[in-house]
Amino acid sequence: MQEIPVASLVIGIASSPAERRHLARLLGGSDAFLIVSTVDQAREFLGVVEAPAAPAPPTTAARAEVAPSPQPPPPDLAVDSDRRVLRWRDQEIDLTRLEHDVLLCLVHAPGQVWTYERLHLEVWGNRHLGRGSDMHSVVRRVRAKLARLNAAATIHSVRGVGFRLAPV
């Protein structure tokens, strides 16, 4: 019986450029390898199309930083979408459209980590795979507004993964 050679492709997923470089060094001896930032990119490359599902669990490295179970937002914290304002107790502060949309995502799923990709898709309406400085700028402004109101919540970064709303 003749053995038929089988071509193999190794797919590596690493969220940061440093991790991708490290993975490339590790896989350098492989015949063929592909390194992507997200599982969705790998699926797209392979032509696998799935309906959007619940957010993926955070990577192993980020699990330690994520709250064990989502906590409700402080009861006095509200986003008024009609007027596009953030309300904390009896105080209000205006929000830009981007601030409103980012905060709305986080408030509706407090404690849940929103990946950079998912937030960008939800707020900006496209797949962003760049540095994310636009998103970090919006989050910085929202954090400042939460602090100005002395709200009992802030936005925590989960390094290499995304953001989540958490109590102060």
Side-chain angles (χ1 to χ4, degrees):
M1 182 151 96
Q2 184 180 2
E3 194 172 307
I4 300 172
V6 176
S8 63
L9 171 66
V10 176
I11 299 176
I13 301 172
S15 60
S16 75
E19 290 170 329
R20 288 191 292 277
R21 283 191 297 275
H22 179 70
L23 196 52
R25 284 192 294 275
L26 291 173
L27 297 173
S30 302
D31 289 337
F33 64 91
L34 170 70
I35 300 174
V36 294
S37 300
T38 67
V39 172
D40 290 336
Q41 280 183 321
R43 285 184 181 130
E44 188 174 318
F45 176 80
L46 295 171
V48 177
V49 179
E50 291 184 357
T59 61
T60 306
R63 280 190 189 118
E65 298 180 44
V66 178
S69 61
Q71 300 172 350
D76 296 333
L77 182 68
V79 177
D80 182 339
S81 293
D82 293 334
R83 296 176 42 233
R84 203 185 296 155
V85 296
L86 170 63
R87 187 178 314 116
W88 171 251
R89 296 187 176 150
D90 60 345
Q91 302 174 74
E92 291 183 346
I93 195 163
D94 291 329
L95 298 169
T96 66
R97 184 195 66 79
L98 292 175
E99 293 166 349
H100 168 270
D101 293 353
V102 166
L103 192 55
L104 199 59
C105 290
L106 298 172
V107 165
H108 284 303
Q112 173 186 322
V113 175
W114 280 72
T115 64
Y116 300 126
E117 292 85 4
R118 185 163 177 237
L119 257 178
H120 211 282
L121 187 59
E122 191 73 26
V123 175
W124 281 264
N126 59 33
R127 289 177 165 263
H128 176 72
L129 302 173
R131 295 172 15 120
S133 57
D134 51 352
M135 188 178 312
H136 287 277
S137 174
V138 171
V139 168
R140 189 176 318 112
R141 292 193 315 258
V142 173
R143 282 180 181 144
K145 289 181 178 186
L146 286 164
R148 252 185 269 151
L149 295 174
N150 291 317
T154 190
I155 300 173
H156 285 192
S157 295
V158 179
R159 189 179 177 110
V161 180
F163 300 101
R164 68 183 169 98
L165 184 71
V168 177

